[in-house]
Amino acid sequence: MQDWTGQVAPALGVDPALVTATQDAVLDMVRDVAHGVVRPAAPLTAYVVGLAAGRAGAHGEDVAAAVAAALAEVDALLSARRPATG
């Protein structure tokens, strides 16, 4: 996986260090969406997170922070879908 991201990130103009810094959280989110919503929603959600981060970067915001904020929002949405226990 590292070889692939090391190739694809620079080919698409993305800093490989940003991918490395955010990959675990993104992979966790993809897993949670795949199991908590439906599998096809996982890559689409990752795509939307990427769009949100790119938009933030285009406005001069920190992209890693934007990824973290988007992932937190997805986590909140997933939490709202879970039935209450107790």
Side-chain angles (χ1 to χ4, degrees):
M1 184 172 70
Q2 297 298 347
D3 288 342
W4 172 247
T5 57
Q7 292 175 15
V8 74
L12 298 177
V14 175
D15 180 0
L18 175 63
V19 175
T20 299
T22 58
Q23 72 184 6
D24 289 342
V26 170
L27 290 172
D28 288 346
M29 181 273 304
V30 169
R31 178 202 59 222
D32 294 344
V33 170
H35 294 285
V37 181
V38 63
R39 283 188 191 277
L44 290 174
T45 304
Y47 172 67
V48 173
V49 166
L51 289 174
R55 182 187 63 223
H59 288 103
E61 298 173 38
D62 179 80
V63 176
V67 170
L71 294 176
E73 186 63 34
V74 170
D75 187 54
L77 291 169
L78 287 169
S79 292
R81 292 177 62 91
R82 293 183 192 117
T85 59

